[in-house]
């Protein structure tokens, strides 16, 4: 499973790259606003650090506006930039036009399997079911991922499933067990993936025991 970093913060992305845990990056207007930097500055920074796909969100609400934005964003780096398009009727028209123009898209804010089916038929390169936000609304987010994977498998769709809105390591674990293509993971969750109290206890004990080894044997 590929791991994308769900962040726009340079220092977080750099650390993820250093750990070998950054196959790509996903952003949204909320994440970019959190950096306190202008959009263009943030995008330039990410392009300097990351070699995989980088999702940048369009904010127009009509298909024409989305397509124009998509062309502008994609021109920043046609190989790596993926344009995030919201799951709306206008959005699907834009996705189709982007696909025809060779611009990759990531359909975002997906909360049902039929939305994912529609996104794939429109020609989306990626689809992003938001599992955490579904869990917040008493609906099992990972069940949706399971359904989408089943549908895409039934019909050999090429659209890749990005498990998004991951809030904790169990979301990542279940994504991997289900065979999702990608989990996009916020930095605070990423670091929890390799944390375990028994590892810390084990390291502490080994270091203490090392001190007990007679110096001649070191
Ligand atoms: O990838 C989508 C993500 O940024 C949304 O996460 O935690 O705001 O639901 P969250």
């Amino acid at each position: 499973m590929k791991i994308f970093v769900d962040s726009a913060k340079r220092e977080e992305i750099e650390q993820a790259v250093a750990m070998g845990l950054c196959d790509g990056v996903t952003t949204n207007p909320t994440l970019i606003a959190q950096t306190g930097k202008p959009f263009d500055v943030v995008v330039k920074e990410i392009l300097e650090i990351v070699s995989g796909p980088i999702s940048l969100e369009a904010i127009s609400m009509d298909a024409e506006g989305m397509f124009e934005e998509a062309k502008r964003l994609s021109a920043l780096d046609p190989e790596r930039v993926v344009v995030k398009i919201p799951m709306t009727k206008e959005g699907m028209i834009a996705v189709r036009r982007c696909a025809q123009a060779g611009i990759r898209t990531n359909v975002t804010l997906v909360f049902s399997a039929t939305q994912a089916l529609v996104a794939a038929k429109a020609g989306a390169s990626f689809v992003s079911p938001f599992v955490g936000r579904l869990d917040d609304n008493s609906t099992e987010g990972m069940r949706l991922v399971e359904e989408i994977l089943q549908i895409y498998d039934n019909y050999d769709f090429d659209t890749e499933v990005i498990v998004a809105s991951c809030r904790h390591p169990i979301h990542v674990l279940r994504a991997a067990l289900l065979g999702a293509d990608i989990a996009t993971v916020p930095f605070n969750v990423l670091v929890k993936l390799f944390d375990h109290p028994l590892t810390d206890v084990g390291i502490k004990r080994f270091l203490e025991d090392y001190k007990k080894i007679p110096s001649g044997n070191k």
Side-chain angles (χ1 to χ4, degrees):
M1 183 173 71
K2 284 171 272 187
I3 293 195
F4 287 1
V5 184
D6 198 26
S7 172
K9 292 186 181 152
R10 180 184 193 120
E11 44 307 341
E12 293 186 349
I13 298 168
E14 275 174 342
Q15 283 189 60
V17 169
M19 293 186 285
L21 290 176
C22 182
D23 298 309
V25 163
T26 50
T27 68
N28 60 38
T30 308
L31 294 172
I32 299 222
Q34 282 166 5
T35 67
K37 298 175 188 172
F39 182 87
D40 291 351
V41 172
V42 174
V43 173
K44 190 167 170 285
E45 283 180 355
I46 300 174
L47 282 167
E48 277 167 12
I49 310 168
V50 177
S51 54
I54 299 162
S55 287
L56 304 175
E57 192 148 343
I59 48 151
S60 301
M61 282 296 109
D62 62 301
E64 189 57 38
M66 286 181 202
F67 183 56
E68 289 306 314
E69 262 189 83
K71 284 194 286 189
R72 223 170 37 245
L73 291 170
S74 170
L76 296 171
D77 188 304
E79 286 297 306
R80 285 179 291 164
V81 169
V82 174
V83 183
K84 249 180 158 178
I85 304 273
M87 167 37 81
T88 60
K89 179 168 68 65
E90 290 294 306
M92 293 314 94
I93 295 168
V95 165
R96 187 170 162 73
R97 288 188 66 186
C98 284
Q100 287 163 345
I103 298 171
R104 288 194 294 170
T105 54
N106 170 1
V107 173
T108 188
L109 292 164
V110 166
F111 294 99
S112 79
T114 52
Q115 288 181 323
L117 173 62
V118 166
K121 288 193 70 72
S125 307
F126 301 94
V127 68
S128 292
F130 275 33
V131 296
R133 293 194 194 181
L134 277 170
D135 289 355
D136 290 343
N137 283 276
S138 307
T139 304
E140 209 194 329
M142 294 311 301
R143 176 75 191 123
L144 170 61
V145 174
E146 203 176 337
E147 288 178 355
I148 297 171
L149 289 170
Q150 170 78 66
I151 292 168
Y152 286 5
D153 188 49
N154 286 348
Y155 299 103
D156 281 334
F157 282 116
D158 292 330
T159 308
E160 291 188 69
V161 178
I162 304 180
V163 177
S165 183
C166 288
R167 302 278 174 75
H168 46 68
I170 299 297
H171 279 145
V172 182
L173 171 65
R174 296 221 29 223
L177 288 171
L178 286 172
D181 302 281
I182 302 143
T184 189
V185 186
F187 192 75
N188 69 312
V189 177
L190 202 66
V191 290
K192 285 184 190 159
L193 295 179
F194 50 79
D195 260 354
H196 199 289
L198 289 178
T199 305
D200 298 339
V201 168
I203 290 172
K204 191 165 174 282
R205 190 180 302 161
F206 284 150
L207 288 177
E208 282 164 7
D209 288 345
Y210 181 78
K211 289 182 201 148
K212 297 175 194 161
I213 300 173
S215 57
N217 293 346
K218 283 183 187 172

